[in-house]
Amino acid sequence: MSRIARAEKDKVVQKLLLAKELSGKTYDEIAEEVGLTNAMVSQIFHRQAPLKQVSMDKMKRAVPLLKEDDLFEMSKPPFRSFDPDIIQEPAIYRLYEVCMHYGESVKEIINEKCGDGIMSAIDFNLNVENKKGPKGEDRIVLTLDGKFLPFSEQRVEEEE
């Protein structure tokens, strides 16, 4: 993505996030009204996922300051990208650390349960929740729910 395109995307995202902030609603509240996960709503506001036509009216009701041109922008297929500096954000770095530390075990358990394959990040749902731990401490619960995609065996077609 060019710097110009990145700057334009950043402007749109800032405008969308301002409308969300001025609504006074959380991602959870908007998600409940629209019928999406909180992570999907956040992805839409950050232009990492498109707002589908079927959800447009509900989004407009949930965030009244969104204008027609905002909804149109939100509905366009986004250029999915990320700021490489995001890894420096401690909350994100901890997720990276979890993947590095538990990755091998997660892969083996996936293989044991489903066979040789991967979890889709396209046919995928993410939800972020919080709960109280056994000592009353706040805890974060991330649910990653992705379709299993088996690796295919690459075979040469046999001639008859």
Side-chain angles (χ1 to χ4, degrees), residues 5 8 12 35 46 51 72 76 78 85 88 90-91 100 106 142 146 159:
E8 288 300 315
V12 169
H46 285 92
L51 176 65
F72 175 73
K76 292 175 11 183
D85 292 336
Q88 295 176 14
M100 290 187 309
V106 169
L142 300 175
E159 294 183 30

Side-chain angles (χ1 to χ4, degrees), residues 118-129:
I118 60 172
M119 179 178 64
S120 174
I122 295 172
D123 189 345
F124 179 85
N125 288 309
L126 169 65
N127 203 36
V128 182
E129 298 294 331

Side-chain angles (χ1 to χ4, degrees), residues 7 14 21 26 28 44 49 57 73 79 81 86-87 139 157:
Q14 287 174 354
E21 185 179 332
T26 65
D28 282 338
I44 291 167
D57 288 340
E73 254 330 290
F79 185 90
S81 61
I86 191 73
I87 195 68
R139 302 187 68 82
E157 293 295 321

Side-chain angles (χ1 to χ4, degrees), residues 49-107:
L51 176 65
K52 303 293 185 188
Q53 186 71 39
V54 68
S55 300
M56 220 172 264
D57 288 340
K58 289 179 182 177
M59 183 66 79
K60 176 66 177 151
R61 282 194 300 276
V63 185
L65 292 176
L66 290 173
K67 296 179 173 47
E68 289 304 315
D69 64 320
D70 297 329
L71 294 167
F72 175 73
E73 254 330 290
M74 294 169 92
S75 72
K76 292 175 11 183
F79 185 90
R80 291 166 175 89
S81 61
F82 65 92
D83 180 344
D85 292 336
I86 191 73
I87 195 68
Q88 295 176 14
E89 162 54 45
I92 304 306
Y93 184 78
R94 291 295 170 255
L95 290 173
Y96 178 68
E97 197 173 52
V98 165
C99 290
M100 290 187 309
H101 184 74
Y102 289 95
E104 208 171 321
S105 297
V106 169
K107 182 222 180 301

